[in-house]
Amino acid sequence: MNFKLILLAPPGSGKGTQAALLQEKLEILHLSTGDALRSAVKQKTLAGIEAKKFMDAGDFVPDEIVLQIVKDTLSGKGVSGWILDGFPRNKAQAIVFDSIAKDLDQVDYQAIYLDVPEAVLLERIAGRYEQFKRNDDHPDVAPKRLETYHQQTAPLITFYRERNQLHMIDGNQSVGKVFSDIKKALGLE
Ligand code: AMP
């Protein structure tokens, strides 16, 4: 089955880890908009140069840039199943995405929300900063990212729940247990 999944979760929730595990299990496309943007920044593309300012400040990159990445990737030849990791991040993106999915005849997607307490998120982001030194994980920036998340992304939980597309998963468990809960929710075990 070609699963179509949106991973809707705050920074530090382990969504990248779970997306990689799901990708390996389901052998479908994994698009992390954060990774795609970091790669554009590295390559100094026009979009990357524009995106960097926002990313370093812990802000969202403009919707047009992100939507273009998603549209281009999902329109690729032979793409039928996918995991979107870090997209959509706000209601406007979710609404435009609906029409992209309709155009691609891929509307049967599900959203997975990883629920993790705020203090644990901050702790994990701080640990990741020590390891990778990503500007947006810096302790001065991380609280802002979480605030942006609460203001803009958290409303999508209700949005997808009301449309019966949401699986709520306890993300404050071991990586293996979270993965197992996700598989159960998707009817994979
Ligand atoms: P992530 O690796 O998913 O935490 O993303 C890193 C950064 O990339 C975020 O803090 C945003 O600045 C930017 N970004 C990633 N995905 C999106 C999105 N869907 N909309 C806007 N900005 C995004």
Side-chain angles (χ1 to χ4, degrees):
M1 185 176 170
N2 282 322
F3 280 91
K4 299 173 193 66
L5 306 171
I6 285 174
L7 278 185
L8 186 66
S13 61
K15 71 180 156 55
T17 304
Q18 295 299 329
L21 288 169
L22 279 165
Q23 196 276 335
E24 197 182 304
K25 167 125 190 111
L26 301 170
E27 296 180 335
I28 51 180
L29 179 107
H30 168 205
L31 172 63
S32 153
T33 44
D35 282 351
L37 288 164
R38 278 184 287 277
S39 150
V41 169
K42 224 184 225 164
Q43 290 168 29
K44 296 197 167 67
T45 64
L46 276 181
I49 292 164
E50 175 69 7
K52 186 175 190 312
K53 299 181 267 185
F54 297 92
M55 293 170 81
D56 283 351
D59 287 327
F60 285 169
V61 167
D63 291 346
E64 311 78 68
I65 295 181
V66 180
L67 284 160
Q68 194 62 49
I69 292 173
V70 172
K71 199 172 171 180
D72 289 348
T73 309
L74 297 196
S75 323
K77 212 171 157 221
V79 174
S80 51
W82 35 258
I83 302 162
L84 298 183
D85 161 6
F87 174 91
R89 285 279 231 282
N90 61 30
K91 202 107 175 245
Q93 291 180 7
I95 289 166
V96 177
F97 179 68
D98 245 358
S99 65
I100 293 174
K102 235 173 244 158
D103 286 347
L104 295 170
D105 199 16
Q106 299 186 4
V107 288
D108 54 333
Y109 56 88
Q110 312 175 58
I112 296 170
Y113 173 63
L114 301 180
D115 190 24
V116 178
E118 189 89 1
V120 177
L121 295 174
L122 282 168
E123 216 172 274
R124 288 189 189 166
I125 298 173
R128 191 165 65 186
Y129 178 71
E130 285 309 311
Q131 208 180 345
F132 300 109
K133 301 284 179 220
R134 257 172 57 183
N135 292 347
D136 57 352
D137 283 339
H138 191 283
D140 289 348
V141 178
K144 164 95 178 287
R145 276 174 82 199
L146 283 177
E147 192 191 313
T148 311
Y149 170 83
H150 286 301
Q151 280 173 359
Q152 302 207 39
T153 313
L156 294 181
I157 300 167
T158 312
F159 180 79
Y160 289 117
R161 186 192 282 128
E162 284 175 350
R163 293 163 29 140
N164 288 323
Q165 284 174 293
L166 189 78
H167 300 287
M168 185 83 140
I169 306 287
D170 177 2
N172 193 20
Q173 312 181 85
S174 68
V175 169
K177 181 71 171 70
V178 174
F179 188 45
S180 159
D181 284 0
I182 293 176
K183 284 187 289 186
K184 268 184 215 144
L186 296 176
L188 287 164
E189 68 173 33

